[in-house]
Amino acid sequence: MQVLTNVVNFFLGLGAPIFVPIIMIVGSILVGMKIKDAISSGITLGVAFTGMNLLISFMKDSITPAAQAIMTSTGISLPIVDGGWSTMATISWAWPYAFLMFPLLIAVNVVMILLNKTNTINADLWNVWLKIFTAVAVVSITHSVILAFVIAAVQIILELKSSDAHQHRIEKLTGIPGVSVTHATLFFGAILYPIALVLRKIPGLNREFDTDMLKDKVGIFAENHVMGFILGCLFGILAKYSLAQILTTGIKAAAAMTLFPVVAKYFMQALSPISEAVSAFMNKKFEGKTLIVGLDWPILGGCNEIWLAILWSIPFMLIYSMVLPGNEILPFAGLMSASLALPAFLVTRGNLLQMSILCVIGAPVFLWVGTAFAPFMTELAIATGSIDLQAGELISNSLINGPVFTYSISHLFMFLKGNFMPLIIFAVWLAGFVLYYRDLMREAREDAALEAGNAKAGQ
């Protein structure tokens, strides 16, 4: 068992930019893709992931110091340290049974495909730690490893169904065929969806409004590099930087905003031939069945609306952290996360006005959940020795992926101790998920029928 654990840890230690392309190269060869083409696509995918990660780190390193300076100037002191997603991943992999999540994920995926309950092949094995984290939380509450894996299996199933439902909308928004996102961060869409329905009914908010339309309205001020420069300078001003620091922050933000769409094109270049190979293989093996590839969220990194929404939400996260009742976490490491902006983007179909409102409304949820998870995450960090903490120090994540789902399903069995609130919250989330799922599937069917009608009329 220790040898197997070491092997798994070795591959995980390579990082997603290497781990995921290896999986894709092997999978592409198995479905009949030429070896040279599979290797080329895999390396290109690694380049895309590396480039996107570099840009995210670059943007984070540019904006986070400004956010820290803003908070320092207020004199606010909050006890919980924001360790970001890496804290959760580190704690997850310290669990002795972590490596067993791989065969569980693959087995559930295969069974779902054979039963015709999903069209997704989940290639995002790197983010298996999200299921591990949920399982670890369940174990800490119920002390049952079996129950932990049962709940993890439920999460795997829901991620596959979410991927199925989102595939059509993701293809419309990105232009990348045959892929979807199996990341749990999409789960927050179930909470945002009912609010988005209301926003669509409000005059002025019910029209399309993306970055292209913004360019038509304000011209050069809506160009990626100009918007990035303006927002970066605003952060520098709020941080009370010197003029040189303000301009430097502005130009760094401009560089990131300019390069995000450039790097995102490599995802399409890598994934299009892989998608075609998978589709051809499945059509040969399973008549009429087309499978899609589930991947991590950075494949959406070329959508400028996501990055604008992230930058827009940062000052509100900081303000909320200072005034929100019940919050004790100081948001820093998680500030550049897409956990809020990404589901808002998909729910609104990239409508910037609606996204901005949803980000303002949804931000407090992340702070509350981050605060609620702090005792549990701190206890695990100390017990596993995975993270060094000072005496009395608390640690958590200010932007936990799918916060409502992650909190409610991991704490579901608290009702056995008389606390029914997580069960009620999960029921609310599940109702939103079902409604959102039906809406996404209806959209896909209607667009398919429209395309079929247009094709028939053109004959």
Side-chain angles (χ1 to χ4, degrees):
M1 182 177 292
Q2 185 59 44
V3 173
L4 181 59
T5 301
N6 291 338
V7 172
V8 171
N9 288 337
F10 169 76
F11 279 103
L12 289 172
L14 297 175
I18 298 178
F19 180 78
V20 176
I22 289 175
I23 295 295
M24 296 302 290
I25 289 172
V26 173
S28 298
I29 293 173
L30 289 177
V31 299
M33 198 172 181
K34 293 181 179 179
I35 294 177
K36 64 182 182 65
D37 294 335
I39 293 174
S40 177
S41 292
I43 293 175
T44 303
L45 183 60
V47 169
F49 270 111
T50 300
M52 193 61 68
N53 288 337
L54 285 173
L55 286 176
I56 293 172
S57 297
F58 177 72
M59 180 75 96
K60 177 183 173 182
D61 292 343
S62 302
I63 298 299
T64 301
Q68 290 175 327
I70 293 170
M71 293 299 292
T72 300
S73 65
T74 64
I76 297 293
S77 178
L78 296 169
I80 302 174
V81 177
D82 179 13
W85 71 268
S86 58
T87 298
M88 297 172 61
T90 301
I91 291 173
S92 299
W93 288 117
W95 190 41
Y97 302 99
F99 73 95
L100 293 175
M101 199 61 71
F102 283 107
L104 177 66
L105 186 148
I106 295 170
V108 171
N109 198 169
V110 170
V111 170
M112 291 278 287
I113 292 173
L114 292 176
L115 293 177
N116 202 31
K117 297 300 181 181
T118 185
N119 294 320
T120 296
I121 300 174
N122 188 355
D124 186 21
L125 299 181
W126 168 256
N127 280 311
V128 72
W129 71 265
L130 290 165
K131 275 67 74 176
I132 298 171
F133 180 81
T134 301
V136 171
V138 173
V139 168
S140 71
I141 293 170
T142 65
H143 306 292
S144 171
V145 174
I146 294 177
L147 202 55
F149 277 101
V150 170
I151 293 297
V154 171
Q155 179 170 335
I156 292 168
I157 292 171
L158 290 170
E159 286 178 352
L160 292 170
K161 301 302 290 185
S162 173
S163 172
D164 291 338
H166 279 99
Q167 189 277 324
H168 177 69
R169 185 168 292 184
I170 287 174
E171 183 172 343
K172 286 176 64 177
L173 292 170
T174 66
I176 305 177
V179 299
S180 189
V181 173
T182 44
H183 202 288
T185 194
L186 270 60
F187 285 165
F188 196 55
I191 299 299
L192 298 179
Y193 173 69
I195 306 173
L197 289 180
V198 175
L199 296 180
R200 292 175 196 171
K201 303 293 184 181
I202 300 176
L205 297 179
N206 56 359
R207 55 191 176 90
E208 293 185 14
F209 196 86
D210 55 16
T211 52
D212 290 333
M213 294 192 67
L214 188 61
K215 290 176 184 178
D216 293 335
K217 297 293 183 181
V218 297
I220 189 175
F221 293 101
E223 296 287 344
N224 288 3
H225 59 296
V226 177
M227 283 191 295
F229 181 75
I230 292 172
L231 290 171
C233 287
L234 285 175
F235 276 105
I237 292 170
L238 292 173
K240 298 181 180 180
Y241 278 175
S242 67
L243 178 60
Q245 290 175 311
I246 291 171
L247 295 175
T248 299
T249 304
I251 207 68
K252 286 183 176 180
M257 290 295 293
T258 302
L259 293 174
F260 276 128
V262 176
V263 172
K265 292 178 181 178
Y266 288 99
F267 281 110
M268 184 179 296
Q269 182 179 327
L271 294 171
S272 292
I274 293 174
S275 173
E276 291 172 4
V278 171
S279 297
F281 177 82
M282 295 310 300
N283 287 332
K284 187 183 299 183
K285 295 294 182 179
F286 301 94
E287 185 176 351
K289 186 175 181 64
T290 300
L291 292 187
I292 58 177
V293 180
L295 292 168
D296 202 352
W297 74 265
I299 64 171
L300 297 167
C303 302
N304 298 322
E305 293 83 1
I306 294 173
W307 304 107
L308 289 176
I310 289 174
L311 292 174
W312 163 261
S313 65
I314 289 175
F316 288 96
M317 289 289 290
L318 296 175
I319 293 171
Y320 281 134
S321 69
M322 292 185 283
V323 302
L324 192 66
N327 173 64
E328 296 182 6
I329 189 169
L330 186 62
F332 282 142
L335 281 178
M336 286 304 299
S337 171
S339 300
L340 175 55
L342 181 60
F345 170 74
L346 292 172
V347 164
T348 64
R349 306 183 186 93
N351 186 303
L352 269 174
L353 291 176
Q354 296 177 16
M355 286 176 67
S356 300
I357 296 172
L358 289 179
C359 285
V360 173
I361 295 174
V365 177
F366 289 84
L367 294 174
W368 279 324
V369 172
T371 299
F373 265 111
F376 152 70
M377 291 179 67
T378 302
E379 179 183 337
L380 283 174
I382 295 172
T384 60
S386 55
I387 298 172
D388 292 328
L389 295 174
Q390 302 295 326
E393 188 176 34
L394 295 170
I395 193 165
S396 188
N397 180 11
S398 63
L399 279 164
I400 290 175
N401 298 292
V404 175
F405 169 84
T406 303
Y407 171 79
S408 61
I409 200 167
S410 62
H411 289 71
L412 197 63
F413 293 96
M414 290 294 290
F415 75 88
L416 297 175
K417 300 179 181 179
N419 182 1
F420 288 86
M421 187 55 65
L423 181 61
I424 295 171
I425 294 174
F426 180 74
V428 171
W429 175 86
L430 186 60
F433 180 82
V434 171
L435 292 174
Y436 184 34
Y437 176 89
R438 289 178 176 175
D439 186 36
L440 289 167
M441 297 301 288
R442 176 188 55 77
E443 177 186 289
R445 288 194 301 270
E446 290 178 354
D447 285 354
L450 182 61
E451 289 179 7
N454 291 337
K456 185 176 181 180
Q459 291 178 349

